[in-house]
Amino acid sequence: MLASEYTEEARIVADDMAGESSGVVRRSGAHGPGAEHTPERNVQAAKTAESEETEEMHLDNGTDTESDEELELNRMISNIGFGRYQRRVLALCGLGWTADNAWMQCTACILPRVQRHYGVSNAKIGLMSSSMFLGLMCGALVWGPVSDRFGRLIPYRWTLVVSATFGLLASASPSFALLCVCLFGLGSGVGGNMPVDGAIFLEFIPREKRHLLTMLSVFFSLGSVVTSAVALALLPPFSCPDAGPCNVAVENNGWRYLLVTMSLLTIVMVVLRNGWFRLYETPKFLLQNKRRADVVMVLKKVATFNGKKARDDAQSSPILSESESESHAWLEWPEADVDCVSQRTDAGHVSRGWMHGAVSRVRGAVNVSSHIKLLRPLFAPGLRRTTLLVWAIWGIVAMGFTMFNVFLPKLLETHAPPSPGHSTQIAVYRDSLIYAISGVPGSLLGAWMVDTRLGRIYSMVLATSISGVALIGFAFAAKAHISALTVVASSVFGLTSTLMFAVIYAYTPEVFRPAVRGTACGMASAVGRVVGIVAPLVTGLLLEISTSVPLYVSVALLWMAAGCMFMLPIETRDIAA
């Protein structure tokens, strides 16, 4: 509803109340006799009711039609621009993505060492990775809806705390079963990072800078690089030799040292995210929850942090010029909401309601029926096809990628000739590091490609198709024991698969509205994690047949995913988020 409409509505209400000298009508009703209804309050109630009705209609229809408030908010975020605040949000949200891939790569790196430590067969060693992915799935299912109901900041602050805690516990595991349990707990924490951190960054940046969402994948790739570098430094010297007898209790603790090191790095990330910089709740979440005064307050603080001058006048936009702000009537609402904000922060209210609020949040977090209701808009007629295709893409890509990525060190060791000492291990982890480094340019390339004529969809299709071709080259090179060609093929796959994921991770939050963005992204991530649970088990069984079979299955899955990408109906390149 535009400002002119608000004015007209106020005039009609005033005409209806003509004859009342005071301008106040006393009526009996739900609020009891003598309740006061001023024209301003009637206008405000009408505005609120219409806003809620419009939002419900949009959600039920699955449309992407933006309300006037959302359009105004997008314009103001664009006027703030991409400054110091957004750069810090990029860096700190990027740490969450770094932790996600770092821990997955850590699981892949320690897999051969753990297998020897506990004497686990090929058919059962996949349980280790499956436990991690089961935790990742549960984390995505929980943290995504929590972020939509209670705000983005709760998952942002706590996911890495959970990850670091279970990482330290995993390093002290006395048995393979307990290690799997700890990896499940670790995954349940880190599993919330990607859907929530991606939404946070997207909701703070202007529309014209949304291609930078793919830059989060640079941090994702860096997580793999960091873990591979630390693994190369710790695993060969503190693991059993490639051949010969070994006392695993004394000589094979490198995998424990790697887990401790990654946990300490995660703790550093927690300190940086929670202590170095104060992140505000995202304006779009606040607007969805009718907290308009808080929206303006956050925008003022962000603008000030970026070096823009913010006016204190509550009836003026802190970002827009005077002529622009006159047409943005909703910026006047905080004048009536300021009292509510001050009341919420009153010391007596806080002391009285803190415990009640904490209990309510816990109850809401475990209320399954309320989470299920959040899924309804995703299957509305206008969004059903997109939802199903996006989730299918996440699942199929996760299956194809995991079957190769998790077992890469194992595949490299299997095709390497035995040698004394640790030379084979050094070569394996060196090649893994090269593979990880090759993925970094893929994110940068993706950031450029998504704004070309290819857009999001065709960039995904191209990258996914080439990834399948690279895996075919890796299979032939590994079978022929051509180490140089193996490194080249794995590097090409690392480049194109990272590009593929960069675009998928950018497309998913863009295509869904802010009201359901956390849930949609969390569910998509959960689908990928569910498949990730199955992939290591299937790969372990296929390795009993041949080391080439999992590779060809991965190729077929990736090309199937490319077909699903091609059928996506919505190109988000020119759609405001």
Side-chain angles (χ1 to χ4, degrees):
M1 185 180 293
L2 299 177
S4 58
E5 293 172 316
Y6 291 157
T7 304
E8 178 65 17
E9 184 176 2
R11 185 188 63 77
I12 293 173
V13 172
D15 290 342
D16 290 341
M17 302 173 69
E20 297 290 340
S21 59
S22 62
V24 175
V25 179
R26 300 187 181 275
R27 298 183 182 139
S28 299
H31 299 286
E36 294 186 345
H37 292 267
T38 64
E40 292 80 4
R41 292 190 180 184
N42 285 327
V43 172
Q44 181 65 45
K47 284 155 54 178
T48 302
E50 180 169 340
S51 175
E52 292 175 351
E53 181 181 355
T54 302
E55 179 182 355
E56 183 69 21
M57 180 184 67
H58 288 162
L59 290 177
D60 288 342
N61 294 336
T63 63
D64 256 345
T65 305
E66 291 184 298
S67 67
D68 292 330
E69 296 174 8
E70 291 173 316
L71 289 171
E72 292 167 13
L73 178 58
N74 282 329
R75 283 195 291 266
M76 287 190 293
I77 291 176
S78 294
N79 286 336
I80 290 177
F82 192 90
R84 287 172 48 204
Y85 186 88
Q86 286 76 14
R87 285 193 290 271
R88 293 199 181 185
V89 172
L90 171 63
L92 295 177
C93 290
L95 291 180
W97 286 48
T98 298
D100 187 295
N101 201 29
W103 280 113
M104 287 196 293
Q105 184 68 11
C106 180
T107 304
C109 288
I110 67 175
L111 188 145
R113 310 283 75 81
V114 170
Q115 183 175 19
R116 182 162 186 180
H117 195 97
Y118 294 115
V120 184
S121 65
N122 283 340
K124 294 182 179 179
I125 191 60
L127 288 171
M128 180 177 146
S129 298
S130 294
S131 299
M132 177 73 168
F133 276 97
L134 179 61
L136 292 169
M137 177 202 70
C138 293
L141 285 174
V142 171
W143 295 116
V146 165
S147 73
D148 279 341
R149 295 195 63 200
F150 305 112
R152 318 299 193 203
L153 294 184
I154 293 176
Y156 173 85
R157 289 168 178 163
W158 287 102
T159 51
L160 292 185
V161 174
V162 175
S163 305
T165 301
F166 280 100
L168 290 173
L169 292 174
S171 67
S173 300
S175 66
F176 181 69
L178 286 177
L179 174 63
C180 291
V181 171
C182 291
L183 289 178
F184 167 80
L186 193 161
S188 67
V190 78
N193 287 327
M194 295 187 67
V196 175
D197 291 353
I200 290 174
F201 180 61
L202 179 65
E203 292 173 6
F204 269 116
I205 61 176
R207 172 187 170 183
E208 57 271 15
K209 295 291 184 179
R210 283 189 295 114
H211 64 278
L212 294 177
L213 187 60
T214 59
M215 293 296 292
L216 285 174
S217 293
V218 174
F219 292 90
F220 188 76
S221 301
L222 289 177
S224 179
V225 173
V226 170
T227 302
S228 299
V230 176
L232 180 60
L234 292 180
L235 290 181
F238 297 104
S239 300
C240 291
D242 299 330
C246 173
N247 183 356
V248 293
V250 177
E251 303 178 58
N252 197 55
N253 289 313
W255 64 274
R256 297 186 188 274
Y257 302 152
L258 180 59
L259 286 171
V260 171
T261 303
M262 298 310 300
S263 298
L264 294 176
L265 289 176
T266 305
I267 291 173
V268 172
M269 296 179 188
V270 171
V271 173
L272 289 175
R273 281 162 65 105
N274 295 312
W276 174 59
F277 176 71
R278 181 183 179 185
L279 183 73
Y280 303 113
E281 186 57 81
T282 66
K284 294 192 176 182
F285 172 82
L286 296 173
L287 183 60
Q288 289 292 332
N289 287 272
K290 313 303 179 193
R291 295 165 58 182
R292 301 178 183 92
D294 293 338
V295 172
V296 175
M297 178 188 68
V298 168
L299 291 176
K300 283 185 177 181
K301 290 183 177 181
V302 173
T304 302
F305 191 88
N306 283 353
K308 290 181 177 289
K309 185 177 180 180
R311 295 194 294 272
D312 294 329
D313 184 1
Q315 295 189 11
S316 300
S317 166
I319 297 97
L320 303 177
S321 64
E322 292 183 2
S323 60
E324 290 175 309
S325 63
E326 290 178 8
S327 64
H328 292 74
W330 78 277
L331 288 173
E332 300 177 8
W333 296 347
E335 197 171 28
D337 292 342
V338 169
D339 293 337
C340 299
V341 176
S342 62
Q343 290 172 10
R344 287 201 306 267
T345 57
D346 180 77
H349 179 80
V350 172
S351 62
R352 183 177 65 255
W354 182 87
M355 184 61 69
H356 179 268
V359 172
S360 298
R361 288 190 175 191
V362 172
R363 288 178 179 175
V366 298
N367 189 341
V368 178
S369 62
S370 63
H371 291 330
I372 293 176
K373 288 180 181 178
L374 293 173
L375 297 177
R376 186 186 65 174
L378 299 178
F379 292 95
L383 205 57
R384 185 184 301 120
R385 179 181 174 185
T386 298
T387 299
L388 293 176
L389 283 174
V390 167
W391 290 359
I393 290 167
W394 277 72
I396 298 171
V397 165
M399 187 73 174
F401 178 78
T402 303
M403 291 181 71
F404 173 78
N405 188 68
V406 170
F407 285 87
L408 178 59
K410 176 73 176 176
L411 292 171
L412 293 173
E413 282 194 19
T414 302
H415 291 283
S419 59
H422 300 88
S423 58
T424 299
Q425 292 184 40
I426 294 173
V428 165
Y429 291 114
R430 181 200 63 212
D431 292 347
S432 297
L433 178 59
I434 295 173
Y435 164 72
I437 293 174
S438 67
V440 176
S443 304
L444 301 174
L445 183 59
W448 169 76
M449 286 181 63
V450 294
D451 275 345
T452 64
R453 294 180 62 183
L454 289 173
R456 273 65 163 163
I457 293 177
Y458 290 115
S459 295
M460 281 189 282
V461 172
L462 181 62
T464 307
S465 301
I466 297 177
S467 296
V469 175
L471 279 188
I472 294 176
F474 181 89
F476 279 109
K479 188 174 183 179
H481 299 286
I482 307 175
S483 58
L485 185 57
T486 300
V487 173
V488 171
S490 64
S491 297
V492 172
F493 179 80
L495 174 69
T496 54
S497 63
T498 303
L499 194 161
M500 169 188 69
F501 277 116
V503 183
I504 291 174
Y505 294 154
Y507 179 86
T508 303
E510 285 178 345
V511 79
F512 295 106
R513 292 175 56 82
V516 294
R517 181 171 290 151
T519 300
C521 294
M523 286 298 299
S525 181
V527 170
R529 307 310 191 184
V530 169
V531 174
I533 298 169
V534 179
L537 300 176
V538 173
T539 307
L541 295 174
L542 294 178
L543 285 174
E544 297 286 344
I545 303 173
S546 170
T547 55
S548 298
V549 173
L551 297 174
Y552 292 123
V553 173
S554 294
V555 172
L557 290 169
L558 289 173
W559 286 349
M560 186 186 305
C564 292
M565 295 169 184
F566 186 78
M567 292 188 291
L568 285 168
I570 301 174
E571 171 58 62
T572 61
R573 181 181 57 189
D574 298 320
I575 296 177

